[in-house]
Amino acid sequence: MLSEQTKENDYHIFKYLLESIHGYVDIIISKKELFFRNKLVKSVQDAVEINVKSGIYNVAPSKVIETTLIFAIALILSFGIYLYPSKNDLLKLLGLFVVAGYRIIPSTSKILIAINALNQSKWVYKTLEPILEKESINSPKSKNKTNIAFNKSISVDNITFAYEDNKAPILEGFSLHIKKGEVIGIMGASGSGKTTLMNILLGLIEPDSGNLKIDDKIITRKNLESYYSKIGYVQQQVYMIDGTLAENIAFGIEPQRIDYKKLEDVILKSSLSDFVKELPQGVNTNIGENGALVSGGQKQRIGIARALYFNSEILFFDEATSALDDKTEQEITDAIENVSDGNLTIIIIAHRKTSLKNCNRIIELNKSK
């Protein structure tokens, strides 16, 4: 089917394009330009063939209908000569079919072209169907939403989780209790379950058994939106939009609605004040696409400022300092210490203990749990 061919071919085109862009340096150095170009050219040629077939299928119905109508008129004329002695009656009948055909053919062709287009895009509906079946937690139509408070603790209780392609669970019977205001460090080797635990704490994945709780209330789809409103997330590569520093801190808020007094406060807390002073237009300076004009350490501090701007009560750091040099790592660690005021609960995943020196506790995971 053209639908499946289109799906498969589009996937390969985007795959080869992204590989060529992200692996540009490696491709040039290893002299593999021709290899990747040939793969992309082959996929583009396949796309051309699919488009040609699609064009033929779109045109064919109208031609078939027109040909069928001509044969029908010829057939009526042949039988009409013998069945209708009156030439006037025969002409009336032929005129009726000609007028009906003239009016019906365009609409019929459009319907058939539309059906063909839907069939070619059927794979999109199949892909989105599981998502559409689940009501978005942010949808205004979502019912029975409940608000939760965070006054005491966040915890995972006896959780077990295994990925579909792994028989052995990543986490098994794991429990962790974090008091409000604590700074918790999580470390361990690759594959020990750090990222899985972080995703469960973030509410992004559900454990196979056990629960995520806040103040002893289990996090469910009904209160997940309320839970999200309490957390901030700073990852290794903080996402930046092509906009001003203010727009990147007040992420998703129209420029005219930004609270600049609050912005000034979070910039101070996240140790960005000196950086802002160096900018030609202060917080209204455009920092480029994906933060091209700021360093890795500055991105991390912008991520911290963003979380503080939205009144996050729980702040997650996911390998936020792993790609930074020692000096910048120290600056980020100092910034984290600066915002650790006893009200903000901080959970840090890191490989190096130097990133966790200000933690109240360090949880070390390993494959033996």
Side-chain angles (χ1 to χ4, degrees), residues 337-348:
E337 184 181 14
N338 192 37
V339 299
S340 305
D341 55 3
N343 293 315
L344 184 64
T345 304
I346 300 176
I347 301 168
I348 307 170

Side-chain angles (χ1 to χ4, degrees), residues 5 58 76 108 111 155 169 192 202 258 274 277 301 312 320 342:
Q5 292 178 19
N58 285 336
I76 293 170
T108 306
I111 291 171
S155 62
S192 60
L202 284 167
I258 294 175
D274 291 339
K277 290 175 183 177
R301 287 194 283 271
S312 299

Side-chain angles (χ1 to χ4, degrees), residues 175-195:
S175 298
L176 176 62
H177 186 84
I178 304 169
K179 295 179 182 179
K180 182 179 176 69
E182 271 195 301
V183 181
I184 298 294
I186 300 173
M187 63 181 300
S190 297
S192 60
K194 301 189 305 299
T195 301

Side-chain angles (χ1 to χ4, degrees), residues 106-166:
S107 298
T108 306
S109 297
K110 289 179 181 179
I111 291 171
L112 293 174
I113 290 171
I115 292 173
N116 184 43
L118 287 172
N119 285 331
Q120 290 179 41
S121 303
K122 191 184 293 182
W123 66 271
V124 177
Y125 299 101
K126 288 182 179 179
T127 303
L128 294 178
E129 188 175 8
I131 301 173
L132 296 174
E133 286 177 353
K134 294 182 179 180
E135 189 175 27
S136 171
I137 61 169
N138 294 316
S139 171
K141 296 181 181 179
S142 297
K143 298 178 181 179
N144 303 319
K145 291 182 181 179
T146 56
N147 293 320
I148 53 175
F150 177 42
N151 299 313
K152 298 178 182 177
S153 64
I154 176 176
S155 62
V156 286
D157 183 22
N158 199 32
I159 59 170
T160 296
F161 180 82
Y163 291 101
E164 291 182 1
D165 53 350
N166 288 337

Side-chain angles (χ1 to χ4, degrees), residues 289-350:
E289 184 178 357
N290 197 28
L293 303 181
V294 297
S295 67
Q298 290 160 350
K299 284 184 180 180
Q300 303 305 317
R301 287 194 283 271
I302 291 171
I304 295 172
R306 182 184 294 173
L308 295 175
Y309 184 89
F310 289 101
N311 302 317
S312 299
E313 298 178 56
I314 309 168
L315 187 54
F316 291 88
F317 288 86
D318 188 1
E319 303 281 7
T321 60
S322 62
L324 304 177
D325 58 68
D326 293 340
K327 182 177 181 297
T328 308
E329 180 188 17
Q330 180 61 49
E331 292 174 355
I332 300 303
T333 303
D334 292 342
I336 294 173
E337 184 181 14
N338 192 37
V339 299
S340 305
D341 55 3
N343 293 315
L344 184 64
T345 304
I346 300 176
I347 301 168
I348 307 170
I349 281 185

Side-chain angles (χ1 to χ4, degrees), residues 4-116:
E4 292 300 322
Q5 292 178 19
T6 301
K7 172 187 175 183
E8 190 70 19
N9 200 64
D10 285 352
Y11 164 76
H12 283 113
I13 288 177
F14 285 110
K15 175 177 179 289
Y16 298 146
L17 277 173
L18 289 174
E19 286 176 349
S20 300
I21 294 170
H22 293 300
Y24 177 77
V25 175
D26 296 294
I27 291 171
I28 294 298
I29 292 175
S30 58
K31 299 180 181 179
K32 298 297 182 183
E33 304 101 305
L34 189 60
F35 173 77
F36 283 91
R37 184 184 295 119
N38 288 341
K39 290 202 297 185
L40 183 58
V41 168
K42 174 66 169 58
S43 295
V44 172
Q45 288 173 342
D46 291 342
V48 171
E49 291 181 10
I50 292 171
N51 288 334
V52 169
K53 289 180 181 178
S54 176
I56 293 172
Y57 292 159
N58 285 336
V59 173
S62 61
K63 302 305 177 184
V64 171
I65 294 171
E66 291 171 5
T67 304
T68 303
L69 182 61
I70 292 171
F71 277 114
I73 293 173
L75 191 63
I76 293 170
L77 182 60
S78 300
F79 281 96
I81 293 173
Y82 296 99
L83 297 177
Y84 286 91
S86 171
K87 303 300 181 185
N88 288 333
D89 291 341
L90 179 59
L91 288 173
K92 289 177 183 177
L93 182 63
L94 287 174
L96 177 64
F97 273 89
V98 169
V99 171
Y102 176 77
R103 299 301 300 270
I104 290 173
I105 286 177
S107 298
T108 306
S109 297
K110 289 179 181 179
I111 291 171
L112 293 174
I113 290 171
I115 292 173
N116 184 43

